[in-house]
Amino acid sequence: MTERRLTYREYAQLARLPLDKLAEQCDVQTFHATGPGGQCVNTTDSAVRTTHRETGIVVVSRESRSQYRNRQLCLSKLRDEFARHAVPPKVRHKTKPSRGQRMRRLADKRHRSQVKQLRGRVSGE
């Protein structure tokens, strides 16, 4: 299966989607969160991993002990990720070295060549 890359405009459209429409395009998995929190963390599947099917972007939220809150946080993280990808690329301008710059480069090359030639052994009598 060949996946095509989305343009920044398509990411911008995804970033503007309402959360309920965005949730329909995602696969959600729940799992035990790790870290501090004691028994409450270890006994509930409150952590949420959300995968956006179209782009393959995966976000994880385990901040809250509420699974519902973690789902909402995942969707907002996903929206933030889309917004980060939606920045248009910088316009690139062709640059050309000036005539003076080219002349200085060539002069430096000539000078460097002379320095290297003078490094040879001195032929003595």
Side-chain angles (χ1 to χ4, degrees), residues 20 48 50 53 64 79 98 107 110 118:
D20 57 338
V48 176
T50 303
R53 285 189 291 266
S64 174
R79 185 183 273 174
S98 65
R110 278 192 297 275
L118 292 175

Side-chain angles (χ1 to χ4, degrees), residues 6-42:
L6 297 177
T7 64
Y8 72 93
R9 288 185 177 99
E10 292 168 326
Y11 278 112
Q13 287 176 348
L14 288 172
R16 288 191 298 267
L17 282 176
L19 289 181
D20 57 338
K21 296 283 186 188
L22 188 57
E24 292 173 2
Q25 299 177 1
C26 296
D27 294 327
V28 177
Q29 295 174 324
T30 59
F31 58 97
H32 288 311
T34 59
Q39 293 174 344
C40 294
V41 169
N42 296 331

Side-chain angles (χ1 to χ4, degrees), residues 59-104:
V59 292
V60 176
S61 177
R62 56 179 72 139
E63 287 85 14
S64 174
R65 283 172 40 185
S66 164
Q67 189 182 107
Y68 176 78
R69 177 73 181 133
N70 283 334
R71 285 176 190 257
Q72 298 304 316
L73 288 171
C74 271
L75 292 176
S76 65
K77 284 182 182 182
L78 201 55
R79 185 183 273 174
D80 292 342
E81 190 71 20
F82 291 151
R84 192 175 65 79
H85 283 20
V87 176
K90 285 185 178 180
V91 177
R92 306 223 21 203
H93 301 285
K94 288 185 180 178
T95 58
K96 183 176 171 182
S98 65
R99 183 169 180 253
Q101 185 65 37
R102 285 197 310 268
M103 299 303 258
R104 282 189 291 276

